[in-house]
Amino acid sequence: MNAEFKLFNISKRYGQREVLNIDNLEIGGGRIYCILGPNGAGKTTLFRIMSLLTLNDTGKIHVLGEEVTWQKNQVVRLRRKMAMVTQTSFMFEGSVYYNVAYGLRVRNTPAAEERKTVNESLELLGMMDFINQPARNLSGGERQKVAIARALAVKPRVLFLDEPTSNIDPASALDIERYIQYINKEMGTTIIMVTHNLFQARRLSEEIFFMWEGKIIEKGESEELFEHAQDKRTRSFIKGEIVF
Amino acid sequence: MDVIWQGIKEGFLLIIAMDPELVQITLLSIQVSVSALLLAAIMGIPLGTVLALKEFPGRKTLLNITYTFMGLPPVLAGLLVFLFLSTSGPLGYFQLMFTPTAMITAQVLLGFPIVCGLTARAVMAQPQEVFDTAATLGATRRQASWVIIRESRMGIIAALTTALGRLIAEVGAVMMVGGNIKGETRVLTTSIVLETRMGNDSSALAIGMVLLLIAFLIMLLILSLEKRTFKDERRIQIV
Ligand SMILES: Nc1ncnc2c1ncn2[C@@H]1O[C@H](COP(=O)(O)OP(=O)(O)O)[C@@H](O)[C@H]1O
Ligand SMILES: [Mg+2]
């Protein structure tokens, strides 16, 4: 496996509380990963550290074969190979077009190519009708779709999706799962996503991580983990005995 | 009551007749205050952004000083500039006292903290998500800062409006360092003071009307600017 991320002894505290503690993690290689776990388990924090949005307190992280030194140019260069749909799908003030074009503009993409890529991305998510709408006026689900289109537009090598279908109706969510699989297969994009939907995790992922109080308590091939979870917290979660 | 009616009548006549002296005074008022606003904006917007976004020792103190100076009394601004520019002051050599330059300088002193402080407030009010979203889409720090300023533009326009309103209406600073010299440094507010002192109450009132008219025109300009910028803005609906 050609892991895009290697984490060694990564930890993060907020005040007195340690919210993340991961001793060893390799992740990447064009697969689809799902991260499961209750609220506050540290999933978003892990995403933020891997996408270089938050500094880890201890440990080392390698991204795409480079040790992260937090030198300004390196951070931007590495960030430009990834994209993230954040949990809130924040939209900039402005049209849907402006939002989807943003990642292309910061890369100085020529105007014609920009337009073409924005159209393609919105087309893929079925959001073409909204192209000139003010993005802030969209509904939660529509915003998530635009956020996904916006992330896809930059053709990332790694795509982080933080609960990307939490506000999306089941039919559209299935569509989105299909796009996720499509870009994973067609472009070889590594997908790392957080979801609270067990069925979605099972349908999509090749590998699953289960997080609990800042730690990865179980990881493994998707089917294997669903059938033979080792940790009893994971087992009861999978059986539906605990509902988050 | 007579004085008021007389003033209003005179005011209309003055405006309609485009009295050359009044036109000159009006244009100078606008020139001084708009120049001061532009200079205050050129320095205040970037500095306010830096105060809001950059972490450095003394940042809090600088912010508090800025907030305090937002309430700087115009006469005090005038006095400070006077001390620097008067013949015995450190910059006395340039003989800038009683010129529009001195008036602009004093008004920059008044406008700058307002633009800077309110810009900092507007930028600090932005959520972390603005930066996060820009960064995950590949923005450099500079590009991300731009988008944060862009998101703050409603607040920044409010800062500029507030500052201009203060500058065009103040009398203390321009009186102190301009001296109300006819044809040279006389502006609308100082004319009002002069006319009132000379007992020409209705003339004073007439000039006051011109001042109000200017305020109205500036507001129209800003409103149309806002309409263009915020045509999509969702307003809070109270039903
Ligand atoms: N900026 C922050 N400041 C303080 N506490 C935080 C911050 N971000 C996250 N936390 C805390 O860290 C824990 C993990 O958060 P998060 O990674 O967002 O969890 P998850 O995404 O798994 O729900 C939570 O208890 C949260 O309250
Ligand atoms: Mg989260």
Side-chain angles (χ1 to χ4, degrees):
Chain A
M1 184 180 76
N2 181 16
E4 276 116 2
F5 297 90
K6 292 185 179 150
L7 278 62
F8 311 96
N9 288 319
I10 293 291
S11 71
K12 179 78 194 171
R13 295 181 161 276
Y14 284 116
Q16 290 299 307
R17 209 157 59 92
E18 189 169 70
V19 298
L20 196 68
N21 186 340
I22 292 183
D23 35 79
N24 222 313
L25 177 66
E26 291 200 6
I27 193 166
R31 312 189 88 191
I32 301 181
Y33 295 85
C34 276
I35 300 178
L36 297 174
N39 295 135
K43 307 178 297 294
T44 299
T45 307
L46 177 62
F47 267 25
R48 293 181 64 85
I49 287 176
M50 287 204 286
S51 58
L52 310 184
L53 281 183
T54 297
L55 255 109
N56 44 299
D57 294 340
T58 67
K60 263 196 319 216
I61 170 166
H62 287 227
V63 177
L64 296 158
E66 286 181 49
E67 180 174 346
V68 177
T69 59
W70 286 95
Q71 185 255 340
K72 257 196 299 190
N73 295 337
Q74 186 202 38
V75 170
V76 172
R77 183 159 43 77
L78 292 178
R79 274 191 198 141
R80 285 192 176 177
K81 300 201 170 117
M82 353 176 186
M84 172 145 78
V85 174
T86 57
Q87 212 169 341
T88 51
S89 295
F90 178 82
M91 289 288 129
F92 296 126
E93 177 74 54
S95 65
V96 167
Y97 182 93
Y98 172 82
N99 271 275
V100 179
Y102 184 80
L104 301 164
R105 291 199 180 157
V106 297
R107 288 167 172 78
N108 298 315
T109 310
E113 195 188 327
E114 173 191 300
R115 184 149 275 284
K116 186 167 152 280
T117 311
V118 172
N119 287 345
E120 281 170 5
S121 307
L122 285 172
E123 201 76 70
L124 196 62
L125 273 295
M127 290 299 287
M128 255 323 257
D129 290 348
F130 295 87
I131 189 163
N132 292 317
Q133 295 289 313
R136 293 257 172 97
N137 291 0
L138 300 178
S139 77
E142 289 163 348
R143 257 205 329 266
Q144 286 187 325
K145 291 184 193 174
V146 173
I148 296 171
R150 183 170 66 179
L152 288 184
V154 302
K155 305 209 159 60
R157 235 183 98 176
V158 181
L159 178 60
F160 292 97
L161 300 162
D162 201 346
E163 306 183 26
T165 60
S166 57
N167 283 312
I168 290 178
D169 65 83
S172 305
L174 270 183
D175 283 342
I176 286 172
E177 286 178 26
R178 256 178 249 125
Y179 305 138
I180 291 172
Q181 275 165 331
Y182 168 82
I183 56 163
N184 171 255
K185 293 289 166 297
E186 293 303 306
M187 307 185 211
T189 311
T190 298
I191 312 276
I192 309 173
M193 72 185 275
V194 171
T195 179
H196 291 300
N197 183 336
L198 272 182
F199 300 106
Q200 184 174 63
R202 197 160 186 173
R203 277 193 298 266
L204 270 180
S205 63
E206 293 157 277
E207 208 167 317
I208 288 196
F209 292 81
F210 196 86
M211 287 187 73
W212 187 282
E213 293 180 354
K215 295 191 175 61
I216 294 177
I217 57 168
E218 182 133 14
K219 61 184 167 192
E221 298 292 315
S222 175
E223 278 313 310
E224 180 69 17
L225 191 128
F226 273 106
E227 297 301 331
H228 312 286
Q230 301 297 312
D231 194 286
K232 75 173 194 305
R233 289 164 293 187
T234 322
R235 266 204 310 275
S236 61
F237 180 71
I238 287 167
K239 278 192 280 180
E241 285 168 13
I242 19 174
V243 183
F244 301 113
Chain B
M1 274 318 270
D2 257 9
V3 174
I4 294 177
W5 281 118
Q6 185 62 28
I8 291 173
K9 217 170 77 188
E10 216 176 289
F12 271 117
L13 289 177
L14 270 174
I15 293 168
I16 291 164
M18 296 285 278
D19 174 70
E21 193 187 339
L22 183 67
V23 169
Q24 187 267 328
I25 290 173
T26 307
L27 289 180
L28 185 65
S29 272
I30 294 174
Q31 190 210 323
V32 167
S33 294
V34 170
S35 309
L37 180 74
L38 284 179
L39 288 170
I42 288 170
M43 299 183 291
I45 295 174
L47 220 93
T49 309
V50 169
L51 283 180
L53 297 180
K54 225 172 163 59
E55 208 46 67
F56 57 89
R59 167 181 169 271
K60 269 262 159 64
T61 316
L62 273 178
L63 265 176
N64 286 334
I65 292 174
T66 308
Y67 294 150
T68 309
F69 273 76
M70 283 170 68
L72 182 68
V75 269
L76 192 53
L79 177 63
L80 285 174
V81 173
F82 175 85
L83 291 175
F84 271 85
L85 298 187
S86 69
T87 28
S88 54
L91 300 176
Y93 169 80
F94 297 102
Q95 302 202 314
L96 291 172
M97 263 319 275
F98 309 120
T99 63
T101 309
M103 296 155 76
I104 292 172
T105 311
Q107 289 205 343
V108 169
L109 218 56
L110 284 174
F112 168 74
I114 297 177
V115 177
C116 182
L118 293 182
T119 297
R121 284 284 178 97
V123 172
M124 285 190 289
Q126 296 304 315
Q128 177 67 33
E129 277 122 311
V130 182
F131 174 81
D132 293 349
T133 306
T136 56
L137 291 168
T140 61
R141 282 190 200 185
R142 184 184 295 254
Q143 288 169 328
S145 304
W146 261 116
V147 91
I148 295 170
I149 294 177
R150 185 180 175 276
E151 292 288 312
S152 320
R153 64 198 190 279
M154 194 152 173
I156 294 175
I157 288 181
L160 296 178
T161 322
T162 309
L164 185 59
R166 180 113 196 271
L167 298 188
I168 199 94
E170 72 85 20
V171 60
V174 282
M175 184 67 105
M176 192 91 141
V177 300
N180 193 27
I181 303 166
K182 186 175 173 179
E184 284 180 39
T185 60
R186 182 165 300 170
V187 289
L188 290 167
T189 50
T190 52
S191 309
I192 293 177
V193 174
L194 182 75
E195 296 294 337
T196 312
R197 270 199 202 131
M198 300 199 318
N200 304 331
D201 294 352
S202 54
S203 297
L205 204 57
I207 300 167
M209 281 179 59
V210 177
L211 201 52
L212 266 180
L213 183 70
I214 291 176
F216 176 69
L217 291 178
I218 290 172
M219 188 200 67
L220 273 189
L221 183 83
I222 286 161
L223 275 184
S224 74
L225 235 165
E226 271 193 356
K227 267 215 191 88
R228 271 234 308 269
T229 319
F230 306 120
K231 61 180 187 304
D232 300 330
E233 190 77 12
R234 229 196 218 184
R235 301 260 149 65
I236 292 186
Q237 304 271 325
I238 295 178
V239 182

